[in-house]
Amino acid sequence: MESAKLTLDPAFEVGPVERRLFGSFVEHMGRCVYTGVFEPGHPRAGDDGLRRDVIELTREMGVTTVRYPGGNFVSNYEWEDGVGPASERPTRLDLAWRQIETNAFGLDEFMTWMREVDAEPVMAVNLGTRGIREARDLVEYANFPGGTRWSDLRIKHGVPEPYGIRVWCLGNEMDGPWQIGGKTADEYGRLAFEAAKAMRRVDPGLELVACGSSNMRIATFGSWEATVLEHCYDQVDYISAHSYYDPVGGSRADFLASAVEMEQQIEGVIATADHVAAKLGSRKRLKVSFDEWNVWSQSLFGGESSLDWEHAPRIIEEEYDVAGAAVVGSLLITLLNHADRVGIACQAQLANVIAPIRTEPGGPAWRQTIFHPFALTAAHACGRILRVQATAPVMPTERYGEVPVLATAATLDDDRLAVFAVNRGDRPLPVEIDLRGLPQASDLSHVTVADDDTGARNTERDPHRVEPRIIDGAAIDGDRLTAVLPPVSFNVLKARLS
Ligand code: AHR
C-alpha cells in the first residue's frame, strides 16, 4: 500500500496561528439572518429574537470573526434603515437577491449577537450605490464616542459605548458585472482610496480591506488587484479574495483537489500586491483577507433573475456530504499553511445559505458535515504553524494535473502538537510522521470525519449521521508517529509533548 511521509521540525515554521482565520460570514441573504440567526418567537430565541441554539453552535464551531452584512447585499444597502426603533424601520427591495428586506435586523442586533457569540466583526460598507459620506457616517455611528450627530444617534438607540469595530471591507466584489454599482478597477481604486481616507479620519485605528477579484477565473484577475492597489495601497491593510469550489461540473478528483486552486489564488494575489509594493517603493506588505470561501454547487444556481421577490426565501441551502467536509478541511489546511500572508478568512456563510449550520423556522438547528472540520481545526490549531515537509502518492486530476492525495498542516503550542490531514484518495492512506527535534510525544489520539458512504449527509431527520469519531491504530514509537487515514477523510492527530 502506498504511504505518505511527513517531517516536522520546530525550527521550520510558517508563523503564529492567526485566530481571524476562523471567520464566518452573515449576509442578509436567503435564511442566513431571518430564521437563521434571528427568529423572534422561536422557542429558543430570547427577547432579542436571537436564536440561542444557533449562538451555541456558532460558539461550538469556534468562529472568531464574522463578516456582515454582505456580500452582494451590501452594495444596495442603507445601513441607517437597520438602526433605531424596529417599528420605524422601512421595508426595502434588496436588488442583489430579489428579497423583501424588513430591516428588523441591523447593525445593533448584529453587534448584540456578536457579543453573544464572542467574535470580532468585519463590517462591509456600501461602495456600490453609495460612497464616501455614508461610509464615514457609519464609522462615526459605530466607533465615535459621542457628541456628534451619528454617535449621539447610537447613544439614543441605547448603546452608550462605541462598538470599536476595527476591520472594514471597502465594498464587496466591485469587479463583478453582477454587483449593483460595480466599477472599473480605476473607478473603484480611486473610490476605495477616498473612502478609506475619510473613514480613517473618523477613526485612525481601522484596518481596511480593499476588494480584490471575486474569483480567480474572472478575466480581470490579477490586473484588477494591480490597478486597484496602485490607487489605494497606502490606505489599506488587506486585499480580499473570494472563491467557491463547485462539486458539480468537474471530475470528482478535481473537486477533491480544490485546495490547489485556493493556493494558486493566494499566491497570485500576494505576488500582485508585492509587485505593486515594489513599483511604489513601499516596504509595507499587505495581507490577504480570504473573506468568502466555501464549497458551493454554484453552477446549479440560476442567478438572482431566477428568484421571486420574497422575504427570507429558501435559497442556496446546500447540503454537504463527507467529500464536501474533506474539501473544507483541505481549504482550512491551505489557509493555515499561508497564515504568514493570509490574515483573515471567512467561510461563507454561517447559517442555511451555503452553511455549516442549518435551521428550520420554529424547529431545530443542526450541524452539516462541513461544521466538523471547521470546529476541529479552530479548536486544535494553536500556537505556531509548522512548515510540514511531506511526500505523498499523487492522484491525476483534469484541472490541476497530478495532485498529492494528502493535504496537511501542523501546529505546535508548548506541550500540544496537532497534525491536520486530508486524504483525498479512495484508499486508506498510511502516514508516517518524523517528529525529529520535538520533545517526546504521548497521549496520541486520532479523530476523523469519514464515512463508508462519502455521500453521507446530516439532515433534520438524521442530524448526527456524520460526526467526528476517534479511531484506533495510531501509534508513537520514539520520534515516529504512524496512523492510517480513511479514504476521503479529514483527520486530526493530537499528541501531548513532554
Ligand atoms: O455568499 C454568496 C455571494 O457570493 C455573496 O453575496 C457574494 O459576495 C458572492 O458572489
Side-chain angles (χ1 to χ4, degrees):
M1 201 187 293
E2 286 191 299
S3 63
K5 285 196 168 40
L6 314 182
T7 305
L8 302 183
D9 189 317
F12 301 117
E13 66 173 69
V14 176
V17 176
E18 171 54 70
R19 298 314 301 174
R20 285 176 175 170
L21 293 185
F22 304 112
S24 188
F25 175 37
V26 168
E27 176 166 10
H28 285 246
M29 177 178 178
R31 298 193 309 111
C32 186
V33 170
Y34 302 108
T35 74
V37 303
F38 181 73
E39 189 179 343
H42 185 279
R44 296 292 318 276
D47 291 343
D48 52 14
L50 303 174
R51 282 184 65 152
R52 275 358 191 225
D53 50 355
V54 175
I55 289 170
E56 283 160 19
L57 287 175
T58 307
R59 292 181 77 113
E60 179 188 320
M61 215 175 128
V63 170
T64 54
T65 308
V66 184
R67 183 165 173 255
Y68 175 81
N72 297 342
F73 172 82
V74 79
S75 294
N76 182 60
Y77 180 52
E78 305 200 10
W79 66 267
E80 305 89 324
D81 293 345
V83 296
S87 58
E88 292 170 19
R89 297 187 193 177
T91 293
R92 298 269 197 186
L93 294 182
D94 157 41
L95 305 184
W97 305 110
R98 287 172 68 86
Q99 297 172 137
I100 306 295
E101 173 56 58
T102 63
N103 285 301
F105 187 94
L107 174 63
D108 296 320
E109 288 76 19
F110 174 70
M111 291 306 292
T112 304
W113 181 79
M114 289 302 288
R115 261 200 315 278
E116 296 284 335
V117 299
D118 192 21
E120 180 189 13
V122 169
M123 193 63 53
V125 298
N126 175 356
L127 293 186
T129 58
R130 310 188 95 190
I132 303 162
R133 176 177 169 178
E134 295 84 357
R136 55 82 59 212
D137 290 350
L138 176 52
V139 177
E140 183 182 319
Y141 182 91
N143 286 5
F144 203 73
T148 66
R149 175 179 173 185
W150 295 107
S151 59
D152 281 348
L153 189 64
R154 182 196 72 240
I155 293 166
K156 189 171 154 207
H157 294 158
V159 186
E161 292 303 320
Y163 289 126
I165 299 171
R166 296 266 68 82
V167 185
W168 296 74
C169 299
L170 301 168
N172 175 71
E173 295 189 351
M174 301 307 296
D175 61 327
W178 57 87
Q179 199 68 217
I180 299 292
K183 311 228 169 334
T184 66
D186 280 308
E187 288 167 347
Y188 171 68
R190 281 287 307 135
L191 179 58
F193 174 85
E194 293 297 345
K197 188 166 81 185
M199 291 161 75
R200 281 194 195 285
R201 294 248 175 123
V202 180
D203 182 347
L206 303 186
E207 295 176 46
L208 300 177
V209 185
C211 286
S213 297
S214 46
N215 62 72
M216 199 185 164
R217 295 180 190 174
I218 199 160
T220 46
F221 178 72
S223 64
W224 169 273
E225 283 82 353
T227 305
V228 165
L229 291 177
E230 279 175 25
H231 287 289
C232 66
Y233 194 88
D234 288 338
Q235 282 290 355
V236 301
D237 307 285
Y238 297 87
I239 177 87
S240 74
H242 289 181
S243 194
Y244 294 97
Y245 305 93
D246 197 334
V248 183
S251 71
R252 178 180 157 81
D254 286 343
F255 174 57
L256 289 166
S258 295
V260 173
E261 186 172 319
M262 179 187 252
E263 178 157 58
Q264 288 170 354
Q265 185 169 356
I266 292 168
E267 289 172 358
V269 173
I270 290 168
T272 309
D274 289 355
H275 159 82
V276 176
K279 256 179 109 172
L280 300 177
S282 173
R283 298 184 63 185
K284 169 178 161 184
R285 287 293 174 270
L286 299 191
K287 287 200 170 186
V288 174
S289 173
F290 215 119
D291 46 41
E292 284 188 36
W293 67 269
N294 207 351
V295 167
W296 175 7
S297 307
Q298 198 164 7
S299 49
L300 301 181
F301 176 53
E304 68 291 336
S305 56
S306 67
L307 306 172
D308 292 328
W309 288 107
E310 275 180 87
H311 174 63
R314 284 184 187 268
I315 53 171
I316 320 183
E317 300 199 353
E318 183 104 2
E319 283 191 3
Y320 292 98
D321 61 11
V322 171
V327 170
V328 162
S330 64
L331 297 169
L332 287 160
I333 284 170
T334 303
L335 292 167
L336 283 175
N337 284 332
H338 290 82
D340 52 337
R341 294 303 298 272
V342 180
I344 300 173
C346 302
Q347 188 185 39
Q349 301 184 2
L350 180 77
N352 294 321
V353 181
I354 35 174
I357 298 173
R358 281 290 303 272
T359 68
E360 273 304 308
W366 67 97
R367 304 164 189 81
Q368 295 231 56
T369 58
I370 62 168
F371 181 100
H372 298 299
F374 190 110
L376 286 165
T377 310
H380 297 296
C382 29
R384 301 182 290 137
I385 303 158
L386 300 185
R387 201 169 284 288
V388 182
Q389 181 64 38
T391 55
V394 293
M395 64 184 206
T397 69
E398 284 161 28
R399 265 188 212 143
Y400 315 110
E402 289 198 328
V403 170
V405 293
L406 178 72
T408 187
T411 63
L412 184 62
D413 182 32
D414 297 331
D415 61 346
R416 280 186 296 170
L417 172 71
V419 178
F420 305 90
V422 166
N423 177 8
R424 300 178 167 121
D426 286 324
R427 292 192 207 124
L429 179 68
V431 292
E432 184 183 319
I433 309 179
D434 180 346
L435 303 174
R436 69 175 65 168
L438 290 171
Q440 180 60 45
S442 60
D443 295 343
L444 177 65
S445 84
H446 179 178
V447 181
T448 193
V449 179
D451 198 284
D452 291 342
D453 173 10
T454 59
R457 294 152 194 235
N458 294 339
T459 58
E460 184 184 359
R461 282 202 173 164
D462 194 0
H464 303 293
R465 170 76 173 81
V466 179
E467 295 207 313
R469 64 196 158 85
I470 295 179
I471 54 173
D472 295 331
I476 293 174
D477 179 9
D479 60 6
R480 201 168 143 267
L481 188 163
T482 52
V484 179
L485 312 181
V488 188
S489 60
F490 172 79
N491 304 269
V492 186
L493 294 156
K494 295 178 291 170
R496 190 156 293 283
L497 304 173
S498 51

